[in-house]
Amino acid sequence: MASASHRRSLRKRRALAVSAAAVVAAGAGAGVLAMNANAEAVDLYHQALPAKDGWAASGTGTTGGAKADSAHTFTVSTRAQLVKALGSASDATPRIIKIKGTIDANTDDSGKKLTCADYASGTGYSLAAYLKAYDPATWGKKAPSGPQENARAAAQAKQGKNIVFKVPANTTLMGVPGTGAGIKGGSLQVKGVDNVIVRNLTLSATEDCFPQWDPTDGSSGEWNSAYDSVTLRGATHVWIDHNTFSDAPFFDSAEKSYFGRKYQIHDGAVDITNGSDLVTVERNQFTNHDKTMLIGSSDTDSTGKLRVTLHHNVWKGIVQRAPLARIGQIHLYNNVYDTTTLNGYAPKYSIDSRAKAQVVAEHNHWILPAGGKAAKLLSGDGTGSVVGSGNLVNGTQTDLVAAYNAANSKKIKTTVNWTPSLTAGLQTSAKNLPTELASTTGAGVLS
Ligand code: CA
Ligand code: CA
């Protein structure tokens, strides 16, 4: 463990680096430059994504709510205040929303705690009745339909109305340092809008009270849930920086099974789908989660888009999809993957490249437990590519694709159609990343 003073100096160095980068970012001109000329004048809430910092820096870059006036700068600490500050999803006025402390999404407008039973109330839904109605032994393998499925959907919609926060264009959402800021049980939805920043938040316990049974999902059926902690759909220029994502405190290992399958109440941590494009996901911690990050919702999601950079993130105790990449040009550098089982989350693979995804993965660092195999770090459908060097597995340079391809019939392709150029902060040695990222990632680091 780093000492407290060591951590402080790391933080300071990081802060200085960010300030310097912000000056460079503003170097192209515009009114922001005058403010940024004195780096100290730009606080964390007004920071834009630095120049060349991944795909979200492309074109107009990502400034979030940097230009917000005082009337559109909010400090919120309850769900109702957050909803009010977000305003209308179609109002693109720049806004900064500072989140102080933890907001529980499952509360009503007066702050009263809402339970799954509260959402089900009045819909006629009960899990017992649902299980009775759609037991494959009697219902068969067709999709659930009829009164109990309608009731489930109605209850789910009631919860969704409460816990989904629609983020408008030109918004920065940031946790106030030192307040343990975050959202519990919520889902930030960035849909069809441009220019959004999400920083310094612990986004935890995003749970669907009303999972749907899909008997046709896989060979044995699956329970599917609706909410990601952050969901991007048709979103562009999004910077997701210094957040912590976790299922805690309720882990999948505590879930019951029905119809022989796990009753899964969690969906993605950050899902980037429906033609989303130009996204940078940086210095986050992803932990205690199964399906962590989807890029592209299907093999036909959207061509020419889904360009995403993931760098300096820590993935620890996650099962899969870090990410599951489809179609797009995706750059992964300087990430740390710790594939030791944590709280029952046993890793299956780290990166899945499918549907012709063009993945460049370089200078990442894997920590494998005893008996862990480099051949199991990738996954694919035989059409996706992965290239890139400098990846370390337990400290040793490893060709992940060669290891995977030697053990699998659906080979990962070894050429891509692009060369990353938006690579701010890329370190050409992954050796020290586990130590460095332990104190420079996740919520609570920025100050
Ligand atoms: Ca799902
Ligand atoms: Ca999802």
Side-chain angles (χ1 to χ4, degrees), residues 217 223-228 264 266-268 271 291 294 321:
D217 187 344
W223 290 97
N224 282 313
S225 284
Y227 310 113
D228 312 317
Q264 179 58 267
H266 303 111
D267 197 25
D271 280 4
K291 301 172 189 174
L294 199 56
R321 301 187 179 178

Side-chain angles (χ1 to χ4, degrees), residues 25 31 36 40 101 106 132 184 191 211 231 235 240 249 276 345 364 366 378 380 401 436 446:
N36 283 7
E40 298 306 313
N106 288 295
K132 189 158 182 272
K184 194 170 80 178
K191 187 175 175 185
T231 190
I240 298 174
S276 291
Y345 292 90
N364 300 291
W366 272 267
L378 301 181
V401 178
E436 287 177 27
L446 294 173

Side-chain angles (χ1 to χ4, degrees), residues 311-330:
H311 75 86
H312 294 92
N313 299 288
V314 174
W315 316 77
K316 183 175 184 172
I318 60 106
V319 177
Q320 58 185 325
R321 301 187 179 178
L324 186 158
R326 289 179 166 117
I327 305 165
Q329 295 174 332
I330 291 142

Side-chain angles (χ1 to χ4, degrees), residues 65-362:
K67 290 179 183 160
D69 60 20
S70 58
H72 294 87
T73 301
F74 308 91
T75 300
V76 302
S77 53
T78 68
R79 180 191 150 277
Q81 289 168 351
L82 174 58
V83 168
K84 196 171 171 210
L86 286 165
S88 159
S90 59
D91 178 357
T93 311
R95 70 190 66 220
I96 293 171
I97 302 175
K98 307 175 184 182
I99 296 182
K100 203 172 174 182
T102 300
I103 290 176
D104 187 344
N106 288 295
T107 51
D108 71 10
D109 288 349
S110 69
K112 182 177 154 269
K113 179 75 186 163
L114 293 175
T115 65
C116 294
D118 291 324
Y119 298 124
S121 172
T123 66
Y125 172 86
S126 85
L127 178 59
Y130 191 85
L131 292 173
K132 189 158 182 272
Y134 306 116
D135 188 334
T138 48
W139 176 260
K141 264 203 110 172
K142 59 186 186 295
S145 64
Q148 266 305 304
E149 171 55 21
N150 294 344
R152 186 205 62 78
Q156 189 179 58
K158 273 175 73 181
Q159 187 188 16
K161 208 161 170 258
N162 212 82
I163 70 166
V164 174
F165 301 101
K166 295 180 181 172
V167 182
N170 308 317
T171 295
T172 294
L173 268 168
M174 179 168 169
V176 176
T179 69
I183 302 174
K184 194 170 80 178
S187 177
L188 295 174
Q189 184 184 90
V190 187
K191 187 175 175 185
V193 300
D194 184 63
N195 196 24
V196 168
I197 297 173
V198 178
R199 307 183 85 182
N200 198 39
L201 294 171
T202 295
L203 298 165
S204 63
T206 304
E207 300 172 357
D208 187 344
C209 287
F210 309 101
Q212 182 180 36
W213 172 244
D214 180 355
T216 65
D217 187 344
S219 54
S220 314
E222 293 290 357
W223 290 97
N224 282 313
S225 284
Y227 310 113
D228 312 317
S229 294
V230 175
T231 190
L232 310 185
R233 295 184 190 167
T236 50
H237 292 113
V238 180
W239 183 27
I240 298 174
D241 174 55
H242 282 96
N243 303 287
T244 297
F245 296 88
S246 174
D247 289 350
F250 185 83
F251 300 133
D252 285 356
S253 56
E255 281 172 347
K256 293 181 176 153
S257 286
Y258 301 114
F259 307 155
R261 307 301 294 169
K262 209 166 247 301
Y263 192 64
Q264 179 58 267
I265 61 171
H266 303 111
D267 197 25
V270 178
D271 280 4
I272 302 166
T273 67
N274 297 68
S276 291
D277 199 20
L278 308 176
V279 177
T280 298
V281 180
E282 171 178 0
R283 293 195 187 261
N284 301 281
Q285 291 193 4
F286 294 94
T287 188
N288 298 315
H289 198 85
D290 186 345
K291 301 172 189 174
T292 307
M293 181 182 293
L294 199 56
I295 300 177
S297 60
S298 78
D299 288 356
T300 56
D301 185 298
S302 203
T303 51
K305 296 182 176 175
L306 300 170
R307 291 174 289 180
V308 178
T309 303
L310 310 173
H311 75 86
H312 294 92
N313 299 288
V314 174
W315 316 77
K316 183 175 184 172
I318 60 106
V319 177
Q320 58 185 325
R321 301 187 179 178
L324 186 158
R326 289 179 166 117
I327 305 165
Q329 295 174 332
I330 291 142
H331 193 201
L332 297 118
Y333 61 90
N334 299 151
N335 296 284
V336 169
Y337 294 85
D338 185 339
T339 67
T340 311
T341 296
L342 179 69
N343 295 319
Y345 292 90
K348 287 183 184 162
Y349 69 84
S350 300
I351 302 164
D352 187 337
S353 179
R354 58 202 302 111
K356 299 184 182 169
Q358 305 289 305
V359 176
V360 178
E362 55 187 336

